[in-house]
Amino acid sequence: MVVSVTQHGDIAVVTICNPPVNATSQAVRQGLAEALDATERDPEVKAVVLACAGRTFIAGADITEFGKPAVAPNLPDLLTRIEAASKPWVAALHGTVLGGGLETALVCSHRIAAAATRLGLPEVTLGLIPGAGGTVRLPRLIPPERALEMIGTGKPVSAFEAKKIGLIDAIAEADVLEAALDLARHAAGVTKPDPLIKRAPQTSENEYEFDRVAAKIVARARGQIAPHQAVQSVRLALSIPADQALAAERAAFVTLQSDPQSRALRYLFFAERAATKNARTKGIATRGITHVAVIGGGTMGAGIAASCLLAGYGVTMIERDHLAAKSGAARVVNILKGSLSRSVISPERYDQLQDLFAVATSYADLAAADLVIEAVYEDLAVKLDVLRRLETHARPDAILASNTSYLDVNQIARAIDGSDRVIGLHFFAPAHIMKLLEIVVPDAVSDEALATGVQFARSLGKIPVLAGVCDGFIANRMMSAYRREADHMLEDGALPWEIDKAMVGFGLPVGVFQMQDLAGLDISWSMRKRLAATRDPAQRYVAIGDMLCEQGRFGRKTGRGYYLYDDQGEAQPDPEVEAMILAESRRKGIRRRAFAADAIMARIIGAMQSEGAAILSEGVAASPQDIDVVMANAFGFPRWRGGPMYMAVASE
Ligand code: 3H9
């Protein structure tokens, strides 16, 4: 039974059991409608508790039903009926109370949550707004600006925050169902509070706060329409009668649901989940990991160590000497302090994490580690040396991972006997924040080591994408391809700031030339010099980056690169760079032509798509979806466009 009703004295407990996340599928909605009728009919029932079996309360509408013909009963009507019930309903919340789940809780007369519950309206992340009363009821329960923040950003709040802003009545001290039953018994004896729909909107904390939150949401939308609609719908809900606002919300939800942006975002939602379930590791038993050693305490090593600590692993960081160990440890502590100040962790947790962390200067100290991740300088000889030392000092069954972003992981694995336990774990900076983790698959790796890597990534809250061994794997290879195309366009007629503007206008967070200026042009310059001898002479080579470096223009850190940086660090177009580019086109005999923004993006996206096709045909990525997941999570490719591979299909 998807929805069952059990009697506890004069309280009926309505339980939804629809794994994995109790989404409000048609069967759930039907079951709830029947439970409502039954409890309303039964004179013995004085109050109702609504609860869910399994890991969570309702985590939303069933996304798989979107885009298909609607089957009655629909959620908004069902919720209106529950809200009008003659008996009090108490929502017993646990897990992730999201979207239609929170909207269901809002029509109950009381809400009580387990302490670890998270509550939110993430519809905007799917290109939608709440469609079952969220924009209308929430600002009638909590201050309108807090409601707008939840709806417009999609970010969930903790049970503690929810209690503070009035979203829930109480946090259960022990079992939430027992606490909900107590609350229901109490509610049965007193007058049922007015449903939210009959109440006036809450008043704001101060008169400017709503507009401030609205402006922030709109500024961050970067081309996505749903955040704008969220602001508009909440504003409307504050100014017109509730029943009209409900109708307007529904209409906006239906329009957004069929918009290409929502379709793209839903595609990415499922693509990210599919990426974690690759055929190679499905069903393979994984090794237990409790202790991780990280070799190297630079920016990357420290980010990896912090990420592991935040996920609850014991971490030992190894550095070459006392001074380096001290700076590495300071970097890790800084990240943890940042998490503390943003309330990601409590002060108690912060202290516990310090106890889980150790730094050492001897490889002998990694003997306890189940997994060792090397994050040393990106140089093959250095990495091979580290692997050989690990062979001597790490446990013989420990999994050894290289955090290389380009190098040949097969060669690294072959540095030791028993290379079946070597994998690549390519983190992205900042490693404690970025969601993507490329799991690089060397030829000799065992399924068990690979499955453990995937499981480990998930435990860090990351999205693992398997990538075959090649220069740059999926992410950096895609990036090299579109950088190359942007370089070609420089010679063909576009200027760096025109290309960057087109990319930002498309929805990318930063243009390719500003990004290189930020990273420093000298690093890729020295790599190009190293590779110069082996470069295919027939390949088109753009020397503008080299010419900038020859003039000491290493990017932002030297105040000059592709751009000129003013005293505030703002990038300005530089006539000197323009003259240099024009001269280079002339020297090569290229007739420059003007590029409009859409022509620039057509070439950049085209380059991504052909590199993606090559990556697929070589088996480096398992699916086009995996490439799109990488693009969204490594380079901020606008999620609402789905990804370059999705765009190729969607435009057909
Ligand atoms: C909405 O509610 C609209 C309403 O306002 C109005 C309606 C009229 N539907 O993520 P996981 C599947 S919009 C269908 O790996 P976790 C997921 O595909 C919705 N399926 O687990 C996966 O399946 P599989 C608003 C769903 O523990 C499995 O569940 N709600 C849904 O890491 C496990 O998922 C949201 O946007 C769904 N709603 O995270 C919440 N949700 O095993 C979306 C999950 O076959 N969901 N699945 O691959 C989430 O954010 C996360 O899944 C959650 C659990 C935090 C709940």
Side-chain angles (χ1 to χ4, degrees), residues 458-533:
R458 292 210 66 187
S459 73
L460 300 184
K462 308 231 177 269
I463 303 168
V465 173
L466 293 197
V469 177
C470 69
D471 188 11
F473 317 126
I474 303 173
N476 283 330
R477 202 168 142 176
M478 291 292 285
M479 203 229 269
S480 299
Y482 69 80
R483 254 169 52 177
R484 206 161 43 235
E485 192 63 25
D487 275 352
H488 292 173
M489 274 190 283
L490 283 187
E491 288 183 341
D492 293 345
L495 293 167
W497 32 95
E498 290 168 349
I499 296 175
D500 282 357
K501 192 168 168 216
M503 292 178 80
V504 172
F506 176 81
L508 282 150
V510 64
V512 68
F513 295 106
Q514 272 208 30
M515 186 171 70
Q516 292 179 74
D517 268 2
L518 202 64
L521 303 183
D522 46 333
I523 302 161
S524 49
W525 184 39
S526 52
M527 197 195 306
R528 285 196 299 275
K529 282 193 285 192
R530 256 201 327 271
L531 298 175

Side-chain angles (χ1 to χ4, degrees), residues 490 495 577-587 590 592:
L490 283 187
L495 293 167
V577 174
E578 182 170 347
M580 177 195 288
I581 293 170
L582 263 52
E584 187 59 6
S585 303
R586 242 186 341 264
R587 188 184 69 78
I590 299 169
R592 294 178 67 80

